[in-house]
Structures are given as C-alpha cells and as structure tokens.
Amino acid sequence: MYSLRKEQLQFLKQTLQFIEGEIFRLTGDLKKLKTREHWEYPVFVRNHPLSIDLDLCTKQGFLGVFDTTVTDNGFQIYLHQFLQEKSPFGEFKPNPISVEQILNQRNYTFQLMRKFLVLDGEPNEKFVLPQVSQNSDFWKKRKWLRWFFPIWGMFSPLYILVGLLFDLPLIPLLLLLNGILFVSYRKESILIWKEIKSLSFASNLFKKTFIFLSKERKITKQMLKRISNLGDSSELLVSPLPHLILNLLFLWDLWKIQSLQKWKQNFLVHWNDLQNKITTIDSILPLINFGYLNPDANFAKISDETKLNAESLVHPLISQSHRVFNPLPVMKPGDLMIVTGSNMSGKTTYLRSIAMSLLLVGSGAPVLGKNFETPKFQIHTLIRSQDSMEDGVSFFYSEVRRLSSIIQNANGSNKTPILFLDEILKGTNSKERFIATREILSVLREKNCIVFLTTHDLKLTEIPWAKRYHFTELERDGQMDFDYKIREGVSSSTNALKILKKEGIPIRNEADT
C-alpha cells in the first residue's frame, strides 16, 4: 500500500509539472520553463546556421521551449527534421497529415501527451527505447549446450540435494564442472543481462504509452509483464555471491537467456512495431503540442505554382497579448523583397517570422497565420555572422564565406532556395558594400532564389526588380511608439539619434546631420 501510494504521488507530481509547463508555453512566460542550456544540444545543432540566426537553441528558443520528446531517438529526429537535415535514422519525410489528424482529435491529443510526457524522470531527460534484435550468437556458438543444459540444469540440483541427504560422491566435481561452464559464458551472459534490464526498464517506463497505442492490448500487456518479470531477475546480479551460487546449482543464466529467446520469438515483431510507432510520434510530439496550444494555427498549402505568400503570419514565440500579424505578399522565384525601417521597428523579427513559419511547414506543423502557401523550398539565413579569433576569420570574411556557401548550395537544387539576409556585408565601406550587395542579389536572381533583405542603406532600394516594404515608428507625446505593421514603400524615418539621446548619450551637433 505504501509503495502504491508513493507511486501515485510521484505521478501527480509529474502531472503537475507537465501542466505548469503547458501553462507557461500558453501564456508566453517562457523564462519559467525548465529548458536546455545551449551547450546541452548536440554540436551540429548549436553550430547550425539556422540555430544561430533564428535563436533556435537558446534558453527561450523554439527547439527548447517546445521540446516535449522523451525518447533519445525521438529527440534526435525532432532536431534533424526541424533543421531540415537528414536524420541519422534515415531521411525524414514530413507528414503534416498525421499531425493534422491527431490535432483534429482534441481529447486524443491531450491523452497522447499525458501518456508520453508524464514520466518518472527529470525535465528534459531522454530515455532509450531499444529495438529488439533476434541476432544473437550465444546459442549459435553453443548448439550442444542449448539441448544439453535443460537436462543438466535439472539433474544438478536434484543430484546435489539427494547427495547431501545420502552422502553421495562427486558433488564437488559436479559443482566444479558447473563453475567452469559458468565462467565460459559469463562474459556474454552479462551483455544479455544488460539487454534484459534495458528492455525491462523501457517496458515499465513506457507501459502506459505501449498500451495506449496498441491495437492488441491483451498481447501488449502480456509482452510487458513477461519482460518486466524477467528484468526483476536481474536484481540478483547486484549480489555476486547469490548469482554465482544459482549458476553453480541451476545454470541460472542459461535458463534466463532461454526465456529471453522465447520472449523474442513471441513478441519481437510486436515490440518493434510499437517501438517504431512510439519513436515516430515522439519525434512529432513537439509539433503536435505547438498546434494543441495554438488552436488558431493553420496548416500551410505546399503549392506546385512556386509562389510564397500568406494573408497573415507572426513569429510563434511572441506571446498572444503582443502578437501583430503581417501579410506576406506574393513572392516567386527570382523575386527580391527589401525591407527598410528605423531601429527596433520590427524588420528582423518579420524576416524571422517568415523563416520560422517555413521551418514549421517543413517539419509538418501548422503555422500562426492564414492562407500560408509555399513551394517546395530550401531555407538559408544570414542574419547573425560570427568572427573567430581562433581561426583567424574576420566578421566580414565570415559573412563572405556564408554567402558563398549559400550561392553554391542553390546550384542544381530541385527546391526553391529562400534566403533571409539581414544587413549583409556590414564589415566594409558603403561604396563597396552597395556594389557587392547588388552583384550578389543579381546572382541570386539568376539562380531563381526568393530573397528577403533588410537594410538601412536606402540606395539599395534603387535596385529595379526589388519589392519595397518598410516598418516605421510613430511619434506620440514626444515618445517613439511602434505598431510593428509592414507598409509598402521605402522608410523615410530614422531614430538612431533619438535612441542615443534617450540613453543619455549627448548629440551636440545634431543640426549638422
């Protein structure tokens, strides 16, 4: 009764943590969420250009905020699919229908998350859900032992028992033979015991999930119960002496190895089917959860007309009370949108809103917006460049290398390259920057790229094929006020000097400007 009560209290504690996390995501109070530190992500994730430019793996980045995966494989697939990278477990093909079907069943969605997320573990902890393999060389190497040990394993304890009662000879010799036999297979049996413990632990941890997702629950319960009971036997390995005695008397390890073999023969296919199902759903669970917490989100249309547009969209991490939706005008391959505007008016956030929406579409999730339409695409960003003293790479050269990589990756792609460039080539003078930027944009146009560019250099807006939009601030009672609405045309306002003065930096010769 005590053990059952303790288990119930632990489940309630985990449930409370789950609900609190959902409330923080819903209200936008993201600082209270227990998310991963930047260094806790795999190296390829934290060094990925999309992660750097879109702040994906910061403390309040999307990858951490909506990471509700619980399996190690599911977590890895989630990271790869969101970054549009090939998964280590095979190429990922986004399936928005499965996410949409689950979201259409509202109660099912909640129950699914409860079965997955309310586990006995620390926040952000990932668990191994192993796949079962039939391949084992243990019995192949010992075919004679497979048929001999059941007879010998029953004969030994009976002979020892009778021998002790009637003082029969050869008992020490029998124990010695069993000991030699035990030593001959102990190294391999320890590995098999580790497999048993791993399967037993996973079956107990994911028991509710296995049963919830199974169509044959009776078989599933039987499968879980048998491997769990087999796993209980592994506790004896903690005490070497009892373990040794059992093998000297009964050849105990061989009986358990045979039990595992029978379990695999009966349940291998069933376990692996459910394991694959759990891992697959776990990898899209963050996207399901995102859609669940944002019921006004809509699935995009992937069009064959190679056009990108939306009636409205907004960045998914902006809290509901501060969301300002903006349209995305029709953009086709070769099109360029130049966005100008004063500081803090929303230029970069607008670019990130489009890029994040595309990443959600690419991973099969809904987006915060209406009538979002996109071609098959490959996304590239250059929003935040980094220099490197260690590699001897300057800020400017870092940007040039990134731009060169983007241009090369656009060659021969069967997907429309969509580029997001924020104030590129900042590390050089204005004359050379204009010439270089113009030529780069011309090359990208020839490669049928869709390009979004923010800039303070109004001369760039003279590029003839550019679509010009801007953000601005409003002056109210002598204070700057931003509405974060995109407008057609070129920005005519600046606010750099106002911001400097507001922060106490004197501007003595403002009239000279």
Side-chain angles (χ1 to χ4, degrees):
M1 290 175 64
Y2 171 79
S3 178
L4 180 62
R5 181 65 173 167
K6 185 178 179 180
E7 199 174 298
Q8 290 173 340
L9 288 173
Q10 180 66 20
F11 179 77
L12 290 173
K13 180 182 177 181
Q14 297 290 338
T15 302
L16 179 61
Q17 289 180 354
F18 159 60
I19 294 173
E20 285 177 341
E22 292 294 273
I23 291 172
F24 295 149
R25 293 184 183 96
L26 190 62
T27 58
D29 200 356
L30 305 181
K31 291 183 178 180
K32 292 182 179 180
L33 271 174
K34 294 180 180 179
T35 56
R36 287 174 170 253
E37 297 288 347
H38 180 265
W39 53 267
E40 291 181 290
Y41 287 92
V43 174
F44 99 91
V45 175
R46 58 178 185 261
N47 290 339
H48 197 284
L50 293 177
S51 293
I52 295 170
D53 289 343
L54 302 177
D55 295 324
L56 294 180
C57 56
T58 59
K59 284 287 286 182
Q60 282 81 51
F62 187 93
L63 288 177
V65 167
F66 285 97
D67 173 27
T68 53
T69 59
V70 291
T71 67
D72 185 63
N73 285 359
F75 177 60
Q76 294 295 330
I77 295 172
Y78 162 61
L79 296 177
H80 282 80
Q81 70 186 26
F82 199 81
L83 294 173
Q84 298 185 7
E85 295 290 340
K86 187 175 181 180
S87 168
F89 311 102
E91 187 175 359
F92 171 74
K93 296 180 180 179
N95 186 5
I97 297 177
S98 61
V99 177
E100 188 171 9
Q101 286 175 341
I102 292 173
L103 285 173
N104 286 337
Q105 305 175 54
R106 298 291 292 173
N107 292 332
Y108 181 78
T109 302
F110 183 74
Q111 291 299 324
L112 186 64
M113 290 190 293
R114 283 285 301 274
K115 302 301 181 186
F116 267 93
L117 304 183
V118 186
L119 297 180
D120 187 10
E122 296 298 319
N124 301 309
E125 186 175 0
K126 309 303 176 190
F127 301 95
V128 175
L129 183 56
Q131 195 166 44
V132 179
S133 173
Q134 187 66 271
N135 297 328
S136 175
D137 294 332
F138 186 85
W139 293 120
K140 290 180 181 179
K141 296 177 182 178
R142 303 172 178 86
K143 292 181 179 180
W144 64 272
L145 186 60
R146 185 172 187 177
W147 305 110
F148 172 72
F149 96 85
I151 301 170
W152 187 253
M154 289 187 290
F155 170 76
S156 293
L158 288 174
Y159 184 85
I160 292 170
L161 179 62
V162 174
L164 291 173
L165 291 174
F166 298 100
D167 196 22
L168 296 177
L170 302 179
I171 291 179
L173 179 60
L174 186 145
L175 292 173
L176 178 62
L177 290 173
N178 285 352
I180 294 171
L181 193 60
F182 174 55
V183 170
S184 71
Y185 62 72
R186 174 166 172 72
K187 188 175 181 180
E188 291 178 73
S189 70
I190 290 296
L191 296 177
I192 295 174
W193 275 116
K194 288 181 179 179
E195 181 183 6
I196 291 173
K197 289 175 71 174
S198 175
L199 291 169
S200 176
F201 177 77
S203 69
N204 291 325
L205 189 66
F206 291 94
K207 180 179 179 180
K208 293 180 180 179
T209 311
F210 269 111
I211 295 172
F212 182 72
L213 294 177
S214 176
K215 295 180 179 179
E216 300 172 307
R217 295 190 175 184
K218 186 176 180 180
I219 296 175
T220 303
K221 289 178 180 179
Q222 189 179 25
M223 174 187 72
L224 298 174
K225 184 178 179 181
R226 288 191 185 180
I227 194 63
S228 179
N229 291 339
L230 192 57
D232 291 341
S233 305
S234 65
E235 297 298 325
L236 282 171
L237 269 70
V238 179
S239 305
L241 185 59
H243 184 221
L244 175 62
I245 292 172
L246 284 171
N247 278 281
L248 292 178
L249 295 176
F250 304 101
L251 302 177
W252 190 66
D253 278 15
L254 297 180
W255 289 105
K256 297 303 177 180
I257 292 171
Q258 186 184 61
S259 297
L260 177 64
Q261 188 72 20
K262 289 181 179 179
W263 182 86
K264 287 184 176 182
Q265 288 173 356
N266 293 327
F267 302 111
L268 181 144
V269 174
H270 190 61
W271 173 281
N272 286 342
D273 285 346
L274 285 174
Q275 186 265 356
N276 287 330
K277 191 173 184 180
I278 289 173
T279 301
T280 301
I281 294 179
D282 187 44
S283 69
I284 62 173
L285 200 59
L287 313 175
I288 295 170
N289 199 23
F290 172 76
Y292 182 74
L293 295 175
N294 295 279
D296 54 339
N298 299 289
F299 285 90
K301 177 185 177 183
I302 299 179
S303 172
D304 292 329
E305 299 180 15
T306 64
K307 68 175 181 177
L308 173 67
N309 71 290
E311 182 181 328
S312 63
L313 57 84
V314 72
H315 196 286
L317 290 183
I318 297 176
S319 61
Q320 292 187 16
S321 58
H322 293 86
R323 286 175 183 169
V324 176
F325 288 83
N326 277 301
L328 172 59
V330 175
M331 299 286 290
K332 296 182 178 180
D335 282 353
L336 164 67
M337 178 192 288
I338 295 181
V339 183
T340 56
S342 51
N343 295 291
M344 305 186 302
S345 59
K347 303 186 303 297
T348 305
T349 300
Y350 180 66
L351 259 62
R352 285 178 170 163
S353 299
I354 302 170
M356 285 296 297
S357 297
L358 286 170
L359 288 180
L360 287 169
V361 172
S363 55
V367 298
L368 289 175
K370 294 181 179 178
N371 298 326
F372 195 97
E373 187 174 359
T374 176
K376 293 179 180 178
F377 63 89
Q378 181 66 47
I379 184 172
H380 303 278
T381 59
L382 182 52
I383 296 175
R384 181 181 290 138
S385 294
Q386 296 176 322
D387 57 359
S388 174
M389 292 180 63
E390 182 180 349
D391 298 331
V393 177
S394 69
F395 186 85
F396 174 74
Y397 189 52
S398 173
E399 277 194 301
V400 171
R401 290 204 308 187
R402 284 277 302 276
L403 283 167
S404 175
S405 174
I406 289 171
I407 291 171
Q408 290 172 15
N409 287 335
N411 287 329
S413 175
N414 59 353
K415 297 179 180 179
T416 302
I418 302 178
L419 280 68
F420 299 88
L421 311 176
D422 183 34
E423 296 286 351
I424 60 170
L425 303 179
K426 295 182 283 289
T428 189
N429 62 76
S430 58
K431 181 180 179 180
E432 288 187 324
R433 181 171 63 245
F434 171 74
I435 296 172
T437 302
R438 181 190 62 197
E439 294 307 308
I440 288 169
L441 294 175
S442 297
V443 171
L444 293 173
R445 188 188 187 197
E446 291 171 3
K447 293 181 178 296
N448 287 322
C449 300
I450 295 176
V451 181
F452 296 87
L453 171 70
T454 66
T455 185
H456 286 284
D457 189 349
L458 300 185
K459 191 174 181 181
L460 285 173
T461 61
E462 298 173 5
I463 293 176
W465 69 88
K467 297 182 178 181
R468 303 162 188 84
Y469 290 84
H470 74 280
F471 289 85
T472 188
E473 82 276 1
L474 307 173
E475 189 82 24
R476 293 181 181 174
D477 300 326
Q479 299 292 324
M480 290 181 294
D481 186 31
F482 300 97
D483 62 3
Y484 306 110
K485 287 286 188 182
I486 194 169
R487 297 169 172 83
E488 290 190 38
V490 180
S491 173
S492 59
S493 65
T494 59
N495 62 4
L497 298 181
K498 294 177 185 177
I499 293 172
L500 290 170
K501 290 170 66 176
K502 183 179 179 181
E503 294 302 317
I505 300 175
I507 306 297
R508 294 186 179 88
N509 300 313
E510 185 175 349
D512 293 345
T513 60

